[in-house]
Amino acid sequence: MASTVGDLMTTHVVAAFEEAGFKRLAVSLRMNGVSALPVLDADQRGGGGGLRE
């Protein structure tokens, strides 16, 4: 059965800020049931990296 991107993606976006502490990031991963987060700078722009569990 074929799936569309809309079937697999969510509109609830979760991201981390560069200055967030490790504990906060770990909690965010667990609470949101994800294994990776995009990392944003202070201007809310992606830094090209991400955080993986």
Side-chain angles (χ1 to χ4, degrees), residues 9-43:
M9 301 295 288
T10 179
T11 57
H12 176 74
V13 178
V14 181
F17 286 98
E18 291 175 325
E19 61 275 354
F22 178 78
K23 185 174 181 179
R24 173 71 180 125
L25 297 175
V27 169
S28 187
L29 289 170
R30 182 171 295 267
M31 286 181 60
N32 290 287
V34 296
S35 60
L37 293 172
V39 178
L40 306 178
D41 64 15
D43 296 323

